[in-house]
Amino acid sequence: MSTTFRRRVLAGVGALSLALTGGVVGLAGTAQAATKTTPVFENCDAPAPQPDGSGNQNYTITLPDTAKAGDVVPITIDPGASPLVPGFSVTTVNTTKITLKVGATTQVVTSPPETVSVVAGTPLDPKAFSGTVKIPDGTEGTTVDVKLDLAVTDADLSGSVFTTTCTPAPRPSATLGSVAVEALPKDPVTTRLTPNSGKAGTAVTVTGANFPAGAVTCSALLAGAATGDTGAGTADASGAATCNLTVTKKADAIKIDGSVAPYKSFVFLEDQAGVKNPVDIEVLPGPLALGPKDGQPAVAFPSVTINGKAQSVVGVFNAATVQDFRGGTLGWDVTATRTPFLNETTGHSMAKAQLGIQPSCTVTNPDSPSTCTAGAPGAITDTPMKVASQAAGGDELTGGEFAVGGAGMIQLPAFMFADTYRTVVTFSIA
């Protein structure tokens, strides 16, 4: 399913306009942790009027020595002093977003907002912050390296966000830290009950994953305590387990023994005396939709005066709503594309102009069963760029309500026709 949503940006519906005039320029586990410091050479693109810069930045990373495939493990990042030297003093609220290559996967760790007093001539040295990364599935018995792929700092100055992007050279960087992945399989889990409800005498098939091949047992629970109902089954060579159990007394959960919590809920139906009146209700799936949020105003980028130098201007893409009311286990991706910067009347175009986004995605309905993940920062082109996503749930319910947006930056060439240019940015969901 795909929905296309065209945003109103500046003066044109579904378009982003930029005027070049004679005006003023506008602006998991218990494993021991290991700490390692690695110098990383970076090329940093700073918002005007701050000049760009390059140089080494010393990243200090703390990671567990060992973990299991699929574990979510803590990470602490101390980025060290930036290679950029500020040309002016100002107080901003900064958020640092570090994109890491964790094995073959790309993951983002975001700092909490930090109030920073920037001093002209003194490199910015952000505080250390903590987060988590996931050890990729299928890495049992290997060492997973963690490398820097991108470092983005959003500086909020009185509501305007100025983004500095630092790219390591080479990209990704040398290894900042590593985790030895245990050769053992992932933690065994109970995955499904068939059926997941019934009265005394109900036969239940219990399935699971990541079990050692061989015999398994399963048991029913009530408030965490075993009820005495047990069953037996087997796990195949892939770790898929099947166990059969008959419920004879009240229970609220069933597990394959040896699995980790949470276990699968079971609804015990007790016989009631009297006349029975069955009541059925059909719950129909709703839409997967993408649309404007709360009628927010258009994105506005300031005008720019040609001065013979490449310039950058910043703005914010107002949030769009994502509503996933399908009532299933599916995921979704929001992507962005754009048309070239041009003026259809005069025929002028800016082929070298770039439009970038620092995506954001937040849950707006606290009852949403899913979370969402913002995409990595990058340039919006005619090739779809993922700006946000919701992972598929497997056996678990997905869906909810979300806001997708982000900070934007236009990078302009040194010379072009003075004119008003427009690009159409399209957000799509599938």
Side-chain angles (χ1 to χ4, degrees), residues 135-345:
I135 304 302
D137 292 333
T139 57
E140 293 88 346
T142 67
T143 297
V144 171
D145 291 330
V146 177
K147 302 178 180 181
L148 178 68
D149 188 60
L150 200 67
V152 175
T153 300
D154 290 334
D156 189 321
L157 178 60
S158 301
S160 295
V161 178
F162 298 87
T163 301
T164 298
T165 301
C166 293
T167 305
R171 181 180 184 184
S173 70
T175 300
L176 304 181
S178 58
V179 179
V181 184
E182 296 180 17
L184 299 174
K186 296 179 291 184
D187 288 331
V189 293
T190 303
T191 57
R192 185 188 293 271
L193 306 180
T194 309
N196 62 359
S197 64
K199 59 185 180 180
T202 299
V204 179
T205 299
V206 191
T207 58
N210 308 324
F211 286 85
V216 297
T217 58
C218 49
S219 55
L221 307 171
L222 180 62
T227 67
D229 289 337
T230 62
T234 58
D236 63 20
S238 71
T242 302
C243 188
N244 296 302
L245 176 148
T246 298
V247 176
T248 66
K249 55 183 70 70
K250 187 174 184 179
D252 58 15
I254 298 176
K255 68 173 181 176
I256 296 180
D257 298 330
S259 62
V260 299
Y263 309 125
K264 289 300 176 181
S265 297
F266 182 84
V267 178
F268 186 78
L269 305 176
E270 299 186 69
D271 279 329
Q272 303 290 330
V275 179
K276 293 179 171 55
N277 291 270
V279 177
D280 294 333
I281 180 171
E282 183 180 13
V283 179
L284 300 175
L288 172 64
L290 175 69
K293 183 178 185 299
D294 303 332
Q296 289 187 349
V299 178
F301 282 77
S303 59
V304 171
T305 300
I306 298 170
N307 63 5
K309 297 179 181 179
Q311 300 183 67
S312 299
V313 290
V314 296
V316 177
F317 286 97
N318 296 312
T321 57
V322 172
Q323 295 177 322
D324 183 359
F325 299 150
R326 293 172 292 177
T329 63
L330 298 173
W332 49 257
D333 291 326
V334 172
T335 57
T337 57
R338 73 170 181 89
T339 59
F341 280 103
L342 55 84
N343 185 309
E344 294 181 358
T345 301

Side-chain angles (χ1 to χ4, degrees), residues 63-157:
L63 280 166
D65 286 328
T66 60
K68 291 182 179 180
D71 279 356
V72 176
V73 301
I75 184 172
T76 299
I77 303 173
D78 185 347
S82 170
L84 288 175
V85 179
F88 49 89
S89 299
V90 67
T91 298
T92 60
V93 178
N94 290 3
T95 302
T96 302
K97 300 176 182 180
I98 302 296
T99 301
L100 299 170
K101 281 288 188 181
V102 183
T105 66
T106 301
Q107 303 181 38
V108 179
V109 182
T110 303
S111 75
E114 176 190 357
T115 300
V116 175
S117 295
V118 179
V119 178
T122 302
L124 191 64
D125 191 358
K127 293 180 180 178
F129 59 94
S130 298
T132 59
V133 293
K134 182 179 179 181
I135 304 302
D137 292 333
T139 57
E140 293 88 346
T142 67
T143 297
V144 171
D145 291 330
V146 177
K147 302 178 180 181
L148 178 68
D149 188 60
L150 200 67
V152 175
T153 300
D154 290 334
D156 189 321
L157 178 60

